[in-house]
Amino acid sequence: MKLFDNNTTVCMCCDARLSNSLMHVKIDGIGICKRCFSKFHPNTPNMPFEGTESINYILSSFRYNDTIKKTIHRYKFYGNRKISELFFNLMKDYISKAPILKSFDIITAMPLHKKRLFNRGYNQAELIAINLSEFLDIPFSSCVYRSKNTLVQSTLKASERHKNTKNVFVADKEKVSGKRIILFDDVCTTRSTLDSCAKELKHRGAKEVIALTLANVYNL
Ligand SMILES: [Zn+2]
């Protein structure tokens, strides 16, 4: 006897087991159902978010809310790297409306410290960025890493966040010099981590850095 029939998928957001026709995206029995997806608020790529000192502008597919927060959190700790493809599929529509992304030289992902990478087994942002690189037809480059294991930004007061992200990134000059770079992360929450990473990329000679994220806490 089969425990579940192949025509159903579990929604990673609301845990419901539903027929495949009720899923917005799915892969290997896991998906995001249409009802949960209706709570995601897509942004429009022709209105980028304001950048920072080192980032020209920020592109983010969705507005950050409780539903997307829960879904991303589950992805990080689900232990299934294939879920990155679900998130890539969620972003596809937005990405295809932003042809400017194809003009960049490389895409990289916000690095995890090796200790955190070891515990989690994968860098969730990197897996999505690799999917994006194939779609955009630009190379993915592991050109920046974390030299310090920082505290989780959301646990800190605003005044402590800048200090927490200072001098934590080291970029490879040979890989970034003269390059126009897309820096990918799953969520843009405070901008300070993205800015700090972009600053290091620029310091090593990057010509331009923009950020691309799945979700953004700021409203347009
Ligand atoms: Zn659902």
Side-chain angles (χ1 to χ4, degrees):
M1 190 186 87
K2 269 200 301 185
L3 207 50
F4 296 116
D5 89 63
N6 294 335
N7 300 319
T8 62
T9 296
V10 174
C11 173
M12 65 176 290
C13 198
C14 68
D15 291 327
R17 177 168 282 280
L18 301 163
S19 100
N20 287 345
S21 60
L22 294 174
M23 303 308 288
H24 176 71
V25 284
K26 64 177 181 67
I27 187 152
D28 288 353
I30 306 166
I32 294 169
C33 77
K34 288 181 179 168
R35 220 188 90 205
C36 288
F37 183 71
S38 71
K39 293 176 198 152
F40 283 35
H41 296 286
N43 290 322
T44 155
N46 51 21
M47 286 175 65
F49 290 84
E50 198 183 324
T52 62
E53 200 186 321
S54 304
I55 299 171
N56 287 38
Y57 53 89
I58 303 170
L59 291 171
S60 305
S61 302
F62 298 96
R63 216 183 290 168
Y64 192 65
N65 61 18
D66 284 344
T67 314
I68 206 155
K69 181 179 172 184
K70 187 175 158 192
T71 318
I72 293 173
H73 182 81
R74 286 187 156 195
Y75 167 42
K76 284 187 188 174
F77 303 101
Y78 221 79
N80 184 343
R81 40 176 69 224
K82 275 220 145 191
I83 294 175
S84 63
E85 290 174 38
L86 283 184
F87 287 93
F88 161 67
N89 283 329
L90 286 180
M91 293 184 77
K92 239 176 172 171
D93 188 42
Y94 180 89
I95 298 295
S96 9
K97 288 181 194 148
I100 193 160
L101 291 170
K102 284 182 181 281
S103 72
F104 283 78
D105 299 310
I106 52 174
I107 179 165
T108 192
M110 180 61 75
L112 280 182
H113 187 263
K114 57 180 188 240
K115 223 184 228 170
R116 216 172 272 178
L117 184 63
F118 180 78
N119 290 338
R120 207 176 284 170
Y122 54 91
N123 175 350
Q124 76 286 346
E126 185 177 298
L127 295 178
I128 301 172
I130 290 170
N131 278 294
L132 291 167
S133 95
E134 284 165 17
F135 186 71
L136 293 167
D137 200 22
I138 59 173
F140 174 82
S141 173
S142 302
C143 56
V144 58
Y145 66 93
R146 262 177 213 259
S147 58
K148 273 203 293 194
N149 197 4
T150 48
L151 298 163
V152 176
Q153 286 289 87
S154 52
T155 63
L156 302 173
K157 284 188 221 134
S159 57
E160 294 165 338
R161 284 179 180 164
H162 180 67
K163 216 172 119 198
N164 187 44
T165 58
K166 221 178 153 197
N167 302 327
V168 298
F169 297 102
V170 180
D172 183 331
K173 194 177 172 190
E174 273 186 31
K175 291 181 181 170
V176 307
S177 185
K179 296 283 197 301
R180 296 177 62 234
I181 302 173
I182 303 171
L183 172 60
F184 180 80
D185 201 4
D186 44 16
V187 185
C188 172
T189 43
T190 66
R191 287 196 278 231
S192 58
T193 316
L194 281 167
D195 184 59
S196 167
C197 186
K199 193 171 278 168
E200 168 63 9
L201 291 167
K202 286 252 174 100
H203 175 66
R204 304 285 172 175
K207 201 156 97 186
E208 183 184 346
V209 182
I210 65 152
L212 174 64
T213 70
L214 179 67
N216 199 323
V217 295
Y218 299 94
N219 285 332
L220 282 169

